[in-house]
């Protein structure tokens, strides 16, 4: 069972480390792995703007490096209103299976929107074609 409160807290905590001097839009993301671990990441911007990395992708890269391969949920904390992951991050997350997407306002962590990843990315590129 996903400990949603702990997952949201991890996303809140990591968001404080966001490096976002250009957009000033801090994002924290935390993944719940199938074995019950939490792995978090924040957005890391770059003066060469396209090289910036989203929080979700930072979390995925860290989790994969730690040996995780499957996630049950991701919590994302950003914005005044809850924000959903960008299109690219939806595809990157889906690589590791369908999951709950818990989007939380950074202003009020009780404002939460919940989705299923597949519903956020209908007609996704079919990974089975590559396997
Ligand atoms: N950002 C994320 O970290 N995740 C998203 O899903 C959307 C956007 C970051 C990228 C950039 O650093 C800032 O938010 C503004 O776009």
């Amino acid at each position: 069972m996903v400990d949603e409160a702990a997952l949201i807290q991890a996303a809140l905590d990591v968001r404080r480390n966001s490096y976002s001097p250009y957009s000033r839009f801090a994002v924290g993301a935390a993944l719940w792995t199938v074995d019950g671990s939490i792995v978090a990441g924040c957005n890391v911007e770059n003066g060469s703007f396209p090289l910036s990395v989203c929080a979700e992708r930072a979390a995925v890269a860290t989790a994969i490096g730690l040996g995780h391969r499957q996630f049950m949920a991701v919590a994302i904390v950003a914005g005044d209103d809850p924000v959903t992951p960008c299109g690219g991050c939806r595809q990157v997350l889906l690589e590791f299976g369908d999951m709950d997407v818990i989007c939380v306002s950074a202003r009020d962590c009780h404002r939460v929107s919940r989705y299923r990843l597949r519903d956020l990315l209908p007609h996704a590129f079919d990974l089975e074609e590559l396997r």
Side-chain angles (χ1 to χ4, degrees):
M1 257 283 286
V2 174
D3 183 343
E4 197 176 289
L7 194 63
I8 291 171
Q9 188 60 54
L12 264 169
D13 290 345
V14 75
R15 181 176 175 272
R16 282 197 234 107
N17 298 329
S18 163
Y19 178 74
S20 44
Y22 306 108
S23 72
R24 302 198 180 284
F25 192 76
V27 185
L31 294 159
W32 186 274
T33 71
V34 281
D35 64 0
S37 305
I38 292 177
V39 182
C42 59
N43 54 332
V44 183
E45 297 188 344
N46 190 273
S48 177
F49 298 160
L51 299 181
S52 300
V53 180
C54 288
E56 298 88 329
R57 269 180 256 192
V60 166
T62 301
I64 295 304
L66 290 169
H68 301 289
R69 286 286 185 279
Q70 208 186 330
F71 312 117
M72 290 173 65
V74 59
I76 299 146
V77 176
D80 291 343
D81 297 320
V83 298
T84 56
C86 76
C89 285
R90 294 176 196 197
Q91 187 73 52
V92 169
L93 289 165
L94 194 63
E95 179 80 20
F96 304 103
D98 199 7
M99 66 190 80
D100 291 325
V101 181
I102 304 158
C103 306
V104 183
S105 159
R107 198 164 55 177
D108 173 4
C109 66
H110 299 292
R111 292 190 52 209
V112 180
S113 303
R114 292 178 182 77
Y115 304 91
R116 210 48 201 165
L117 182 57
R118 273 232 171 257
D119 296 332
L120 289 178
L121 195 64
H123 312 290
F125 176 66
D126 187 355
L127 301 173
E128 294 308 318
E129 295 289 336
L130 296 175
R131 295 190 174 122

